Amino acid sequence: IRDRTCAMTADDWIAHLHLAPHPEGGYFRRSYTAELILTLLGHDGPRPVATAIYYPVSYTHLYLKDPRNSEALWRGGYLHTGDIGVIDAEGYLKITDRLKDVIKTGGEWISSLELEDLILKHPAVAEAAVVGIPDPKWGERPLALVVLQPESALDETAIRDWIRGFADRGVISKWGIPDRVLFIESIPKTSVGKLNKKAMREQYCLLYTSRCV
């Protein structure tokens, strides 16, 4: 869902969605079964970016032997999902990324998942991952890690031009065009097969900047 013609302010969205201030911060709307709380963070183009989406539920899943993160996960009695999304002109919320993985650059919030999906549309690409690396001017910039299909050949310019084509059609912000593309043999993954973004940031950040965290 993408509506780049909407120019509603944060106050407009709060009124449009019938949200009320919440004592934990942000705004909320209650239904019979759950309570949805949104914290408006910024914009992706004209669309409000929201996070801190909490759902009070009856079960109490905790992190094994990790009381500190368990407490943070359930602070205030609500499940802090760590998801981030955008709100369209009809008031629908679309989850686009994890808050820890979204790339904050040039005043925009760029979904690493959306960038990965667009790169994977290229027929020569087998796997892709995108992480944000610190940038002294823009805060962060996207780094694309790409695994090519066997016997395929691409260079950095080809990947950037591929994403630029989507930006020119309004599919993604121009800030999503990666400055750097690194071709690697395999994408780091966790023990359960998920992309290990933390390991990627730690492994590849120092190739481009000394301001890694």
Side-chain angles (χ1 to χ4, degrees), residues 178-212:
D179 291 343
R180 303 173 179 88
V181 179
L182 187 62
F183 296 95
I184 58 180
E185 293 186 359
S186 63
I187 300 291
K189 298 182 176 68
T190 67
S191 60
V192 294
K194 295 182 179 180
L195 299 184
N196 194 335
K197 298 281 182 84
K198 180 180 179 181
M200 293 180 217
R201 284 187 287 265
E202 292 174 351
Q203 181 176 353
Y204 295 108
C205 178
L206 286 173
L207 294 177
Y208 302 102
T209 177
S210 61
R211 298 178 60 245
C212 299

Side-chain angles (χ1 to χ4, degrees), residues 101-116:
D101 294 330
V102 73
I103 301 165
K104 299 177 261 311
T105 180
E108 299 268 352
W109 294 61
I110 304 297
S111 166
S112 64
L113 298 179
E114 189 171 17
L115 264 178
E116 290 162 3

Side-chain angles (χ1 to χ4, degrees), residues 4 43-46 49 102-110 138 173-176:
R4 293 193 170 274
H43 285 78
D44 171 13
V49 175
V102 73
I103 301 165
K104 299 177 261 311
T105 180
E108 299 268 352
W109 294 61
I110 304 297
W138 304 115
S173 167
K174 66 178 182 178
W175 294 100

Side-chain angles (χ1 to χ4, degrees), residues 3 12 63-64 72 77 82 101 106 115 128 145 150 160 168 200 207:
D3 184 344
D12 291 334
Y63 291 113
L64 181 63
D101 294 330
L115 264 178
L145 304 171
R160 284 195 294 267
D168 289 344
M200 293 180 217
L207 294 177

